[in-house]
Amino acid sequence: MKIQIALLIVYFISCSTTGSLINQFNVDNVPLVIMTRTACYGTCPQYTISIYDNGFIKYDGKLFVDKKGCYYSKISQSSLDLLIAKIKIIDFFDLNTNYDAPMTDLPSVIVEVNLASNHHKITDRFSGPEKLKELHIFIDSISNSVIEWQLCN
């Protein structure tokens, strides 16, 4: 009987820990970074990655991706620090807001950053600078490095 009670206590503690992780994720924070890859006339992957300053990461896969739907996880502080450093190194807030292309079949990458009371949103359809494209790849690499994703409620 004591073993069963002990097992029940452990079970409820583990459930409450998971619940608190979900509750922490659902706070109404403004994301530090939001990156959206948009549609094209073909099979371009369509998804949004949102990274919060507390380390939470949210992935919303739409079309032509392995994970469809809403998922979340947490990234390390060092990954978060590297992301912030990358944003500062490329002078993100000094870049143009729109890098367009004369072709309509190209997908866009839209990156929005909210850092230290600065807000800047950039739409890059094709002609953005290389350092901006490197930021896109870096944000993807952070998302791809996540091992355990949980489904959003």
Side-chain angles (χ1 to χ4, degrees):
M1 182 70 157
K2 289 181 183 181
I3 293 174
Q4 291 172 337
I5 292 173
L7 288 175
L8 280 173
I9 290 171
V10 169
Y11 172 77
F12 286 117
I13 289 172
S14 67
C15 288
S16 67
T17 302
T18 304
S20 67
L21 181 64
I22 291 168
N23 292 339
Q24 288 175 19
F25 175 73
N26 287 331
V27 294
D28 292 328
N29 290 353
V30 173
L32 171 70
V33 174
I34 303 170
M35 183 177 82
T36 301
R37 291 192 181 268
T38 66
C40 65
Y41 290 132
T43 58
C44 301
Q46 299 170 45
Y47 58 89
T48 299
I49 298 168
S50 302
I51 300 174
Y52 297 80
D53 62 1
N54 61 3
F56 280 97
I57 182 170
K58 179 181 171 188
Y59 173 90
D60 190 10
K62 301 204 182 340
L63 290 172
F64 308 110
V65 292
D66 292 334
K67 287 190 312 283
K68 289 184 182 173
C70 179
Y71 296 85
Y72 70 95
S73 191
K74 191 156 185 164
I75 60 173
S76 68
Q77 185 62 47
S78 61
S79 293
L80 200 55
D81 293 342
L82 286 171
L83 175 60
I84 292 169
K86 183 82 168 164
I87 289 166
K88 291 177 180 178
I89 288 168
I90 69 166
D91 296 318
F92 182 85
F93 295 101
D94 294 332
L95 296 173
N96 295 338
T97 58
N98 194 21
Y99 296 97
D100 209 353
M103 300 156 279
T104 59
D105 181 30
L106 298 174
S108 294
V109 181
I110 303 165
V111 178
E112 187 173 350
V113 175
N114 299 288
L115 179 63
S117 73
N118 291 317
H119 174 84
H120 193 50
K121 183 176 181 179
I122 300 173
T123 301
D124 179 12
R125 179 174 283 167
F126 181 72
S127 59
E130 189 61 34
K131 63 186 180 178
L132 179 59
K133 296 188 184 309
E134 289 171 5
L135 179 63
H136 302 162
I137 292 167
F138 187 73
I139 294 168
D140 277 332
S141 73
I142 290 174
S143 177
N144 292 335
S145 71
V146 173
I147 296 170
E148 286 188 45
W149 289 99
Q150 295 181 23
L151 276 171
C152 299
N153 291 341

